Amino acid sequence: MKPILVRRYESSDLYPVVSLFTRSVHEVNCRDYNSEQLAAWAPELPDMEAWADRLASGSVFVGEQDGAIVGFARIVLDAAQTAYLDLLFVAAEAQGLGVGCILMEQVTAWTISQGVRTITSDVSITARRFFEQQGFKVIAKQKVRRRQVEFRNFRMERCLSGWTHEG
């Protein structure tokens, strides 16, 4: 197995990242969400301008294996100076290979470097178990709407007290 390398997102990554997001939602999250929810969450024709704007802010990391993007994460600081993990997606074919763990480690190191000790995220039903394995706790069950379609997800939080980054 080739190593997974993490680097900063570049604007030339826009199409591969959005494609990965769309495929991941439809191929992985289909275990827990119906076709109407999947279409609302990741439309067949994504708004590339909105994606470009979203990925141009915050800190975005991509995971690559053998030159292909296999995962990505976006984290931002909110008004309360809490780190908010906005996106963390791994390609269906790369599930279980450690990509999510490597991206989470990068996000955690970035959070610590900002002097912040708490990460929050709105987490899908599908991703809840992974986030719990990464030390996150559910702080609220939520019902959210996207494009007039209701979803269930979880507000989760991880406190980083005592966490140090080595390497």
Side-chain angles (χ1 to χ4, degrees):
M1 183 173 89
K2 302 260 183 176
I4 297 158
L5 305 172
V6 176
R7 63 169 174 80
R8 289 282 188 163
Y9 167 85
E10 299 169 0
S11 60
S12 61
D13 297 326
L14 177 64
Y15 285 93
V17 163
V18 175
S19 175
L20 184 151
F21 167 81
T22 303
R23 286 185 300 108
S24 180
V25 168
H26 287 273
E27 296 172 13
V28 177
N29 296 92
C30 62
R31 295 187 300 237
D32 300 299
Y33 296 93
N34 65 40
S35 58
E36 181 184 27
Q37 291 168 321
L38 297 173
W41 187 358
E44 188 177 322
L45 296 174
D47 181 341
M48 297 307 284
E49 188 173 322
W51 270 103
D53 289 346
R54 185 178 190 180
L55 296 172
S57 65
S59 285
V60 183
F61 304 97
V62 296
E64 282 187 333
Q65 186 176 44
D66 203 21
I69 295 175
V70 293
F72 73 99
R74 177 180 181 259
I75 190 160
V76 297
L77 291 180
D78 67 17
Q81 288 299 103
T82 297
Y84 178 72
L85 182 54
D86 177 46
L87 299 162
L88 194 153
F89 286 87
V90 174
E93 64 275 11
Q95 297 281 312
L97 299 179
V99 177
C101 294
I102 291 168
L103 287 167
M104 186 67 78
E105 184 176 302
Q106 183 67 47
V107 161
T108 302
W110 178 88
T111 301
I112 295 290
S113 78
Q114 301 303 301
V116 177
R117 295 291 186 262
T118 304
I119 302 173
T120 61
S121 191
D122 294 316
V123 176
S124 70
I125 296 166
T126 313
R128 176 182 174 177
R129 188 169 141 231
F130 169 78
F131 274 75
E132 288 174 335
Q133 291 169 341
Q134 298 298 311
F136 283 77
K137 304 284 185 230
V138 173
I139 56 175
K141 293 179 181 178
Q142 304 181 122
K143 287 186 180 178
V144 297
R145 294 187 78 75
R146 180 167 288 144
R147 295 180 181 83
Q148 311 306 316
V149 177
E150 188 172 278
F151 295 78
R152 285 187 311 125
N153 71 10
F154 304 93
R155 172 58 61 110
M156 297 185 78
E157 180 178 85
R158 179 180 179 197
C159 295
L160 302 173
S161 299
W163 193 92
T164 58
H165 176 68
E166 296 178 20

